[in-house]
Amino acid sequence: MIPKLGKVIQVDVRKAWPNEAIHFTPWLASADGLELLQDALGMDLEIEATEQFIGPFRADILAKRTDTPDEHWVLIENQLEKTDHRHLGQLLTYAAGLKAATIVWVAQYFAEEHRAALDWLNEITSDDYQFFGVQVELWQIGNSDHAPMLNVLAEPNEWTREVKQSADATVSELKQQQLRFWQGVRSRLLDKKSKVRPQKAHPQHWADYRLGRANTWLSATVNSTKKSMSVEFNFRGPPGKIWFDELIAQKDEVENKFGYPLSWQRLDNRKQSRIALYQENSDSTDETDWPFQHSWLVEQLERFYNIFQPLALNLSEGSDTLVAEPDQMVSGASAEELP
């Protein structure tokens, strides 16, 4: 028997959002819209403001990225129509005013010249800046509810940037080796189709991974001086280290799942706390030992994800506010070496 199937029909976005400022921007900043945008971009975001004034102009949505140690700004500009030069100029003006590290342009249609402009900006700017072009669509099957879809049409070219970093004569031999190291970890995660979403590789001693909850993330680190490496669950909870206290109350249960003790670091002099597992006698500069090191990191990242991701989702509500004003964007902060 041939099953009866529905036909997917594209719907005018104005049927769901008649007005961009009144309907679309509030929806995109809502929990449902933000979840869809986060999945499309592969990052965790927290809305800071909508209709944010920047000098004489007003940006649609101002957010911060919360799955990395540096709480850098993310600027989101919306258009329920075809892209135009005016909005491209606004994006660059806003980015300069906020010193935003991530710029997201959401529109119904992207002109080829504007898509090319975003690709060009990603090519010429440093790895600290990212430009995304996201197309919004609305679909329906029969008489079903309208279903929004966000398609990323322009984004940083990770392969190109990695090649540029590898070939950059100003990058030290150690940095180039670090880049190759994390490319190897990333390849293993991709090959396994791991739940741990691999991030692009950088020439540094750590790599971060999303957990799906604002202000929580996993990190993998190497320390070439101490010849050690680690996997960490990092978080910036509400003031007063509330999240750390909630988690350490479950310490015995968590460590029983791991089968061995972990390092619980409250870090009272910092907003961040961490729970870590260390592997000693691992020299990340010894490339002959990389197969073992990559295997250990991937295995522990997956264990940390399976154990801490549900715990992160169940932490109490509340988060710290940004320590910087809109014209004092925090970016480029590097994680400290392992203790």
Side-chain angles (χ1 to χ4, degrees):
M1 185 172 60
I2 300 175
K4 184 178 180 180
L5 303 176
K7 184 178 181 181
V8 179
I9 300 173
Q10 190 166 6
V11 181
D12 184 355
V13 297
R14 296 285 181 179
K15 288 192 174 182
W17 308 290
N19 181 276
E20 178 187 309
I22 297 174
H23 303 110
F24 183 71
T25 297
W27 172 81
L28 191 60
S30 71
D32 289 341
L34 188 62
E35 181 180 6
L36 202 61
L37 183 62
Q38 290 177 133
D39 288 342
L41 298 177
M43 61 181 68
D44 291 336
L45 302 173
E46 187 173 285
I47 301 300
E48 193 69 16
T50 58
E51 303 299 330
Q52 172 72 37
F53 277 100
I54 305 172
F57 304 105
R58 189 165 59 184
D60 290 329
I61 299 175
L62 179 65
K64 63 178 178 179
R65 186 167 180 180
T66 58
D67 57 348
T68 58
D70 60 311
E71 298 176 286
H72 74 240
W73 294 105
V74 179
L75 179 72
I76 304 165
E77 184 70 9
N78 309 320
Q79 269 189 280
L80 286 185
E81 53 195 21
K82 189 174 183 179
T83 55
D84 55 40
H85 292 341
R86 181 174 65 87
H87 277 80
L88 177 59
Q90 285 178 195
L91 282 170
L92 297 178
T93 302
Y94 297 160
L98 287 172
K99 298 181 177 62
T102 300
I103 309 298
V104 182
W105 191 359
V106 182
Q108 185 176 6
Y109 306 107
F110 271 83
E112 280 302 315
E113 60 267 27
H114 298 137
R115 184 173 175 176
L118 294 177
D119 290 338
W120 176 73
L121 286 167
N122 280 318
E123 182 180 348
I124 67 168
T125 55
S126 73
D127 203 40
D128 294 329
Y129 290 86
Q130 299 176 311
F131 295 85
F132 291 88
V134 180
Q135 182 183 40
V136 57
E137 296 178 336
L138 204 60
W139 295 86
Q140 186 178 30
I141 302 177
N143 295 320
S144 69
D145 292 337
H146 296 151
M149 182 179 294
L150 297 178
N151 305 311
V152 177
L153 301 183
E155 61 184 334
N157 188 322
E158 297 180 9
W159 185 85
T160 300
R161 286 189 167 183
E162 289 174 9
V163 169
K164 286 170 63 178
Q165 287 174 334
S166 297
D168 190 347
T170 64
V171 177
S172 70
E173 183 177 344
L174 176 60
K175 291 297 183 183
Q176 293 185 45
Q177 190 178 54
Q178 288 174 341
L179 177 62
R180 295 195 305 273
F181 182 92
W182 296 118
Q183 287 172 337
V185 174
R186 184 176 189 273
S187 293
R188 287 206 176 208
L189 290 169
L190 288 172
D191 290 343
K192 291 190 67 176
K193 296 180 173 58
S194 176
K195 293 179 182 178
V196 181
R197 294 187 179 183
Q199 304 296 313
K200 61 183 176 182
H202 293 279
Q204 57 195 28
H205 71 272
W206 78 97
D208 295 322
Y209 306 89
R210 296 180 61 203
L211 271 178
R213 171 70 187 268
N215 293 312
T216 69
W217 67 96
L218 297 181
S219 293
T221 72
V222 293
N223 189 317
S224 57
T225 302
K226 297 184 178 181
K227 294 181 172 51
S228 66
M229 57 184 178
S230 76
V231 172
E232 306 169 0
F233 170 47
N234 292 283
F235 51 96
R236 283 187 296 265
K241 299 290 186 179
I242 295 173
W243 281 2
F244 184 88
D245 295 341
E246 290 178 8
L247 288 166
I248 203 167
Q250 306 173 66
K251 178 180 178 181
D252 291 343
E253 180 183 351
V254 170
E255 292 188 341
N256 284 337
K257 290 180 180 179
F258 274 94
Y260 34 76
L262 302 173
S263 176
W264 298 71
Q265 302 172 37
R266 201 170 194 268
L267 305 179
D268 287 324
N269 59 333
R270 301 179 56 196
K271 292 173 65 178
Q272 181 179 332
S273 298
R274 74 165 67 95
I275 302 168
L277 175 66
Y278 295 98
Q279 174 70 27
E280 306 298 335
N281 301 317
S282 295
D283 183 2
S284 60
T285 64
D286 179 7
E287 299 193 22
T288 63
D289 195 40
W290 280 8
F292 166 77
Q293 295 173 29
H294 291 168
S295 178
W296 186 87
L297 287 171
V298 168
E299 178 184 353
Q300 300 308 326
L301 280 168
E302 291 185 324
R303 296 187 72 189
F304 266 65
Y305 185 94
N306 290 333
I307 292 173
F308 284 112
Q309 198 258 358
L311 293 175
L313 295 180
N314 288 322
L315 291 170
S316 60
E317 294 298 325
S319 62
D320 290 333
T321 57
L322 276 174
V323 297
E325 295 300 321
D327 61 345
Q328 297 174 312
M329 189 274 297
V330 180
S331 68
S334 63
E336 76 280 5
E337 287 283 346
L338 297 176

